Structure formats: C-alpha cells, structure tokens
Amino acid sequence: MGKIISIANQKGGVGKTTTAINLACSLAVLDYKTLLIDCDPQANATTGNGFDLKQIQFSVYDCLVNDTSIRQVILETETPNLYLLPSDLDLVGAEIELINHPNRERKLAQILDEIKEEYQFIIIDCSPSLGLITVNALTASDSVIIPVQCEYFALEGLGKLLNTIKIVQNKLNNQLEIEGILMTMYDGRLRLSNQVVEEVKNHFEDSLFQTIIHRNTRLGEAPSLGKPVLLYDADSTGAMNYLNLAKEVLQRNDLTKIKNIDKTIEMEEHE
C-alpha cells in the first residue's frame, strides 16, 4: 500500500516532530510496517528514536543530493516494525544544492518510488518552513496532517500553509489530500484551550481529528531518552492519545474494523 503522510506546519513549536515520532511508533505497534522520514535539519525525529547524530553515516541529505540509495540509509529502530530515514544538519544546504536540479520538487518522490510498496505507512516529519524540502515532502505524499496547538496564535499562518498545499495540488501532486487537522498541547484547565478548539471546529470541522493531544509530562520527557512515548510510558495520556490518533488514521483509510475509536480523555479532564 505504502501510504505517505507528511506532518507539516511552517509554524514552529506545534508538535510536528512529536506527532511524527509517536504516530509512526503507534502505527508500528499496531502491526503496520512504518517508515519515519526525518526531513528537518534539526534531526529531532532521529535523536527522538535513540540515534546519535555523530554515528549517522548517511542521511536523507545523501539521498537527495548525492543520489545515495535509500536502502543504504534506512535504519531499524528499537520499535518493532518501525524504520527511520535519518536527517542531519547537512540538510540545511540541500535546498541551495538542489536549486538547479531538474524536477527538484519531485526528488523525494522519485527516491521513495523505490521502496514505498515495502511499507504500509511512510510518515514524513517536515521542517518548520515552506521551503523546497517541505514542497518535496508534500509532492511525495498522499496526504498531510496539520498539527495546530491550542494556543492564542493557533490559526496564524495556517492560511499560508493551506495555500501552499493548493499550489502543490494544482502544479505538482493533484492526489494530495488533507488527512486531517490535529489539535495539540491541549490543557483542559485553560479556557483558552477550549476556545481554540471551538474556533478550529468552526473553520475546519470536516477536517478535524476527533483525537486531541493533551499536554503531558511523559510526552515531553520521552525525547530526552531517545524513545517514543509508547516505549517510555505506555500507560501515559500521551501514549493513549497517539494510539487513538493512529487508530483514527487507520479508520479514515478503511484499514480497521474498529467501529468506534475510544475518545481520548474528555476535554474537561486533565492529568
């Protein structure tokens, strides 16, 4: 099948990498062979899966710029069924190095053609920008998940991202769909969190995931130990939230017979 889903929002600090790591891990735990692609030069999805950047021999940069075979670069993670195409700081220069490349927007899509049928899901962690690498990710993807944090400027810049998605749809990838908008960093103690959720519902109800990602201590601690939250504390709110998100993604893609996904903890509840 090889469904490719980008996690994108040019606004930083909205939970893109947290979502990419933990959605990919949750799909893997649910027995779907999953490849996580780190397309952010900060390489947090790489270190968040326990890899030391100093020990990384090849990265997505080498695939994009040096035509290194993707099979040579993919790493097996600690999570069964989860594989990683790592990143490193070199990716910062990739946009400049690809600027004169023919079909520069389709480079990642061409790379993934070789292996996409070997995975049931491919999750791409995009950088907080709308540059060439993010355009590559969207061009290669079947759909995009947009994390939106439950904070004051939640919708700031969302219009620009949606416009970029439309341009990609019109000019580069007419199959690209919005998988859904995901509310993150929800705190039921704050009136603002509820107001933001309602505002996003009013604008994007049809696209909004039922699952909401709550603020969670374990979710924040896990990356420092190089683990997805499911491997760090499987009983935590964060782990349950991302398992529910994975089940919802499966349901949206007709890949599960589960009739009703258990709702995440009710919005008025908190840890």
Side-chain angles (χ1 to χ4, degrees):
M1 181 189 67
K3 174 142 193 182
I4 304 174
I5 304 175
S6 281
I7 316 294
N9 189 332
Q10 81 276 16
K11 195 171 186 297
V14 299
K16 278 190 303 299
T17 299
T18 298
T19 295
I21 291 172
N22 292 295
L23 173 58
C25 177
S26 296
L27 289 167
V29 165
L30 292 170
D31 287 332
Y32 289 86
K33 188 179 179 183
T34 303
L35 174 64
L36 173 60
I37 299 178
D38 191 347
C39 274
D40 187 344
Q42 296 176 83
N44 290 333
T46 301
T47 58
N49 274 287
F51 292 97
D52 182 349
L53 295 184
K54 294 176 183 175
Q55 304 299 319
I56 299 289
Q57 186 176 3
F58 297 110
S59 73
V60 65
Y61 168 87
D62 295 287
C63 296
L64 290 168
V65 176
N66 300 326
D67 293 324
T68 303
S69 169
I70 188 171
R71 295 181 191 282
Q72 196 175 343
V73 182
I74 291 173
L75 303 171
E76 193 169 347
T77 75
E78 184 181 351
T79 307
N81 292 321
L82 180 60
Y83 299 81
L84 174 74
L85 184 63
S87 182
D88 64 20
L89 195 57
D90 289 344
L91 193 59
V92 170
E95 296 198 3
I96 295 171
E97 294 180 68
L98 288 174
I99 201 72
N100 294 317
H101 192 283
N103 289 326
R104 62 179 182 264
E105 297 91 351
R106 300 182 188 276
K107 184 71 173 165
L108 184 59
Q110 292 166 356
I111 290 165
L112 294 182
D113 277 344
E114 183 183 344
I115 52 90
K116 69 180 180 182
E117 295 304 321
E118 298 172 21
Y119 297 89
Q120 290 163 295
F121 283 96
I122 297 174
I123 306 296
I124 305 177
D125 181 29
C126 296
S127 64
S129 76
L130 294 178
L132 183 57
I133 302 302
T134 297
V135 169
N136 259 268
L138 295 174
T139 302
S141 295
D142 299 301
S143 65
V144 55
I145 290 175
I146 304 170
V148 175
Q149 83 281 31
C150 296
E151 294 179 359
Y152 186 69
F153 291 115
L155 299 181
E156 185 183 67
L158 193 53
K160 187 179 287 188
L161 174 60
L162 294 173
N163 188 52
T164 298
I165 290 171
K166 279 186 180 178
I167 292 169
V168 171
Q169 287 170 329
N170 291 334
K171 297 188 175 181
L172 296 166
N173 179 7
N174 58 17
Q175 303 298 311
L176 181 65
E177 298 177 346
I178 294 177
E179 188 77 28
I181 293 173
L182 176 68
M183 302 307 302
T184 63
M185 305 179 187
Y186 177 83
D187 187 338
R189 295 167 296 185
L190 302 179
R191 182 184 298 173
L192 177 61
S193 285
N194 293 297
Q195 290 173 339
V196 171
V197 169
E198 288 307 309
E199 185 178 4
V200 174
K201 273 185 183 175
N202 290 337
H203 285 86
F204 305 105
E205 185 170 8
D206 292 343
S207 301
L208 195 62
F209 281 107
Q210 176 181 302
T211 302
I212 294 176
I213 308 302
H214 292 61
R215 283 195 180 275
N216 176 250
T217 303
R218 294 293 196 230
L219 204 52
E221 292 171 348
S224 66
L225 297 171
K227 292 178 181 289
V229 69
L230 265 170
L231 269 62
Y232 176 50
D233 185 349
D235 294 323
S236 66
T237 298
M240 292 300 102
N241 287 172
Y242 277 109
L243 269 176
N244 280 338
L245 176 63
K247 291 174 184 176
E248 193 169 352
V249 168
L250 293 173
Q251 192 175 53
R252 288 187 178 205
N253 287 278
D254 298 321
L255 290 171
T256 176
K257 294 180 180 177
I258 296 171
K259 300 296 183 187
N260 294 303
I261 295 170
D262 293 333
K263 281 190 174 182
T264 50
I265 294 172
E266 291 298 322
M267 287 171 49
E268 66 268 20
E269 291 183 2
H270 55 84
E271 285 185 84

